[in-house]
Amino acid sequence: MKRPAKFNTYCPFCRTHTEHEIEKVKKGKTTGLHWIDREKARRSRVGNMGKFSKVPGGDKPTKKINVRYRCKTCSKAHLRKGYRIAKFELTE
């Protein structure tokens, strides 16, 4: 799906329709300090306890994209609900 890099839409901070720029949000670095990471490390020492079973899984055919909309006037960004799409491309 091709989307324009700049277009007019509603800004919740300015409370008017202004020009926005689209940015694709990248995944951040994980620290390994989350509860689930520590739980997996504790349970993975002695065999498979059953909570994290070794069922083979694969990637989904489409990925959910996360897009950030940045306002040109106030420079604040907001997010909208992500949607599934096979290919995402920004056009000028």
Side-chain angles (χ1 to χ4, degrees):
M1 180 177 167
K2 291 183 179 179
R3 295 280 312 262
K6 297 173 187 168
F7 67 101
N8 281 337
T9 188
Y10 180 75
C11 176
F13 305 103
C14 300
R15 294 183 179 171
T16 57
H17 279 76
T18 55
E19 190 176 13
H20 281 66
E21 202 172 89
I22 295 182
E23 308 165 1
K24 193 170 180 188
V25 179
K26 293 180 179 133
K27 200 171 186 181
K29 265 189 177 176
T30 58
T31 61
L33 297 173
H34 300 294
W35 175 84
I36 195 69
D37 297 329
R38 297 193 308 269
E39 180 77 4
K40 280 183 181 179
R42 277 197 299 272
R43 290 189 181 263
S44 65
R45 287 189 199 132
V46 183
N48 181 18
M49 302 292 275
K51 185 169 183 181
F52 303 102
S53 63
K54 294 184 169 64
V55 176
D59 287 343
K60 291 199 170 216
T62 58
K63 302 284 181 266
K64 197 178 260 193
I65 63 157
N66 203 0
V67 179
R68 183 183 293 136
Y69 302 91
R70 188 170 298 278
C71 179
K72 286 279 194 167
T73 55
C74 66
S75 300
K76 290 188 177 181
H78 66 275
L79 298 171
R80 289 182 185 163
K81 192 177 175 184
Y83 48 90
R84 292 195 172 276
I85 192 165
K87 191 176 178 182
F88 182 72
E89 192 178 319
L90 292 173
T91 59
E92 291 302 316

